[in-house]
Amino acid sequence: MPAQPTVAVGSIIIPLDVLNAVLEDLKVPVNTQTFLEKVTKHSTAPPTAPTSSQTRRDVHNAVVASLAKSIPPPTPAEAVVKRVDPSTVDPAVREKRRKLLADTRTAFNNEVPTPFVVYTWAGKFDNLQWIMAQIVVTSDDEASTQTFNEWCMWDTGAQITMVAGVRLDPAVKGGANAPPQGFLQAEITFGGVQTPSIQCSIGYRPQLPNNTQHIILGQRSLIECIEYSVTPSSLFPPGTVTPQDTYGSLSLSRYHDPIDSSIQAFN
C-alpha cells in the first residue's frame, strides 16, 4: 500500500487520512485544503517524523491548537429588556444588591476599572476560558431589567464583571442622560446548574479591550467567591473539543456569599 500523503503541524507529521478523521471527530466545518494551506503558512519549525510514542492524541492536540487560531468567536446574543414593578422585588434581595453595589462603588472610587484582559481573535482565541451564563442586569430604580443568555469570558485578570455600555438599554443605565460608565446590579446563573444564582455588580464602559462585545466575568463578588477547577482540553477524549472549550472546561463546586458569608454548592 502506498504511503499516505502527510502535512506538518508544529513538529508532527500528520498523515492526511488521520487529519481528515480528526477534523471529522471535531465536527468543525473546515475545508481541508484551506486548513492545510493555513497550517503550512503558520508552520515555522521543520517537520520531524513521528516517533512510536506519538499517538492519535498527539495529532488531536496539534489540530486543536491550530484550529484555535482560526475559529471565529461566538456571536453575542441579543438581550431581552423588561419593565418591572419595583415593589415586587424581594426586600432581602434588594438589600443584598444595594450592599454589593455600594461596596463596589467604594472599592473602585466609583470609577469603572480598565480590564486587564489582552487578547485578539486573530491568534489568541485559546487564551481565555468561556462559560455559558444567564445575566440579568437591573437598573438602579429596579424598574427595568435586561437579560443576556450567552457565552461569556471567564477572565481571572479582570477586576470586575463588565459589559460594553452600547449593549445596555438606556432605561437600564438610567435614562438618556445616564453617565457613559458606571456600575449596576446583576444576577448570574451559570449554564448546566440550577443553583445558586449569584448577586454581583457589573460595570459598563463605552469600550472594552479590542472593542469586544462579549461580557467579561471578573473577580469582584464573582470569580473570587467561587471554588472551581479547570480541565485542560488536552485531557478531553478525542473529538469532544468545541470552540468554546478549546482552552478547557470549568467545573464549579461552591460559592461563598460575600454579604451573609453563607457557602452554597452548585447543583
Side-chain angles (χ1 to χ4, degrees):
M1 178 180 295
Q4 284 286 331
T6 61
V7 60
V9 177
S11 60
I12 300 174
I13 292 179
I14 305 176
L16 281 182
D17 59 342
V18 176
L19 175 61
N20 288 329
V22 172
L23 288 174
E24 184 177 348
D25 285 346
L26 290 171
K27 296 181 174 62
V28 178
V30 177
N31 177 274
T32 304
Q33 185 61 39
T34 301
F35 175 74
L36 295 182
E37 291 173 357
K38 287 184 177 294
V39 170
T40 301
K41 177 181 177 181
H42 292 288
S43 295
T44 56
T48 59
T51 66
S52 58
S53 64
Q54 289 174 328
T55 64
R56 185 173 178 126
R57 164 60 67 187
D58 299 308
V59 176
H60 171 82
N61 291 343
V63 172
V64 167
S66 297
L67 283 173
K69 294 178 172 59
S70 59
I71 296 174
T75 303
E78 292 297 324
V80 178
V81 180
K82 291 184 179 180
R83 304 292 180 255
V84 297
D85 181 356
S87 66
T88 63
V89 178
D90 185 319
V93 172
R94 175 183 290 117
E95 183 64 18
K96 179 180 290 188
R97 287 174 175 173
R98 290 181 175 174
K99 283 184 178 180
L100 285 168
L101 204 52
D103 289 348
T104 299
R105 286 170 172 161
T106 299
F108 294 107
N109 196 27
N110 213 28
E111 292 289 331
V112 179
T114 300
F116 294 143
V117 59
V118 178
Y119 73 99
T120 61
W121 288 120
K124 296 186 179 297
F125 179 84
D126 55 342
N127 277 11
L128 288 174
Q129 175 64 57
W130 295 83
I131 189 167
M132 177 61 75
Q134 178 187 84
I135 303 177
V136 182
V137 182
T138 303
S139 60
D140 274 352
D141 62 7
E142 298 181 326
S144 300
T145 65
Q146 188 167 356
T147 301
F148 300 87
N149 282 284
E150 59 187 78
W151 288 99
C152 302
M153 291 185 285
W154 181 276
D155 181 19
T156 57
Q159 297 152 289
I160 190 172
T161 298
M162 294 189 178
V163 62
V166 69
R167 295 197 65 195
L168 292 174
D169 187 85
V172 174
K173 290 187 288 186
N177 296 320
Q181 67 171 21
F183 297 100
L184 294 168
Q185 310 160 62
E187 181 176 358
I188 299 178
T189 305
F190 294 108
V193 297
Q194 299 297 319
T195 58
S197 59
I198 297 174
Q199 300 289 339
C200 70
S201 300
I202 185 169
Y204 66 90
R205 296 167 55 94
Q207 184 177 338
L208 296 182
N210 296 297
N211 294 313
T212 183
Q213 296 296 299
H214 295 283
I215 293 174
I216 300 173
L217 304 180
Q219 287 285 353
R220 188 170 185 83
S221 69
L222 186 62
I223 293 180
E224 67 179 3
C225 300
I226 296 176
E227 178 184 30
Y228 66 96
S229 61
V230 177
T231 301
S233 61
S234 60
L235 298 179
F236 284 20
T240 62
V241 178
T242 67
Q244 287 77 28
D245 58 27
T246 300
Y247 179 82
S249 66
L250 284 168
S251 296
L252 308 180
S253 300
R254 297 186 299 172
Y255 165 69
H256 172 260
D257 191 312
I259 299 301
D260 61 21
S261 296
S262 63
I263 297 177
Q264 305 174 62
F266 285 96
N267 297 307

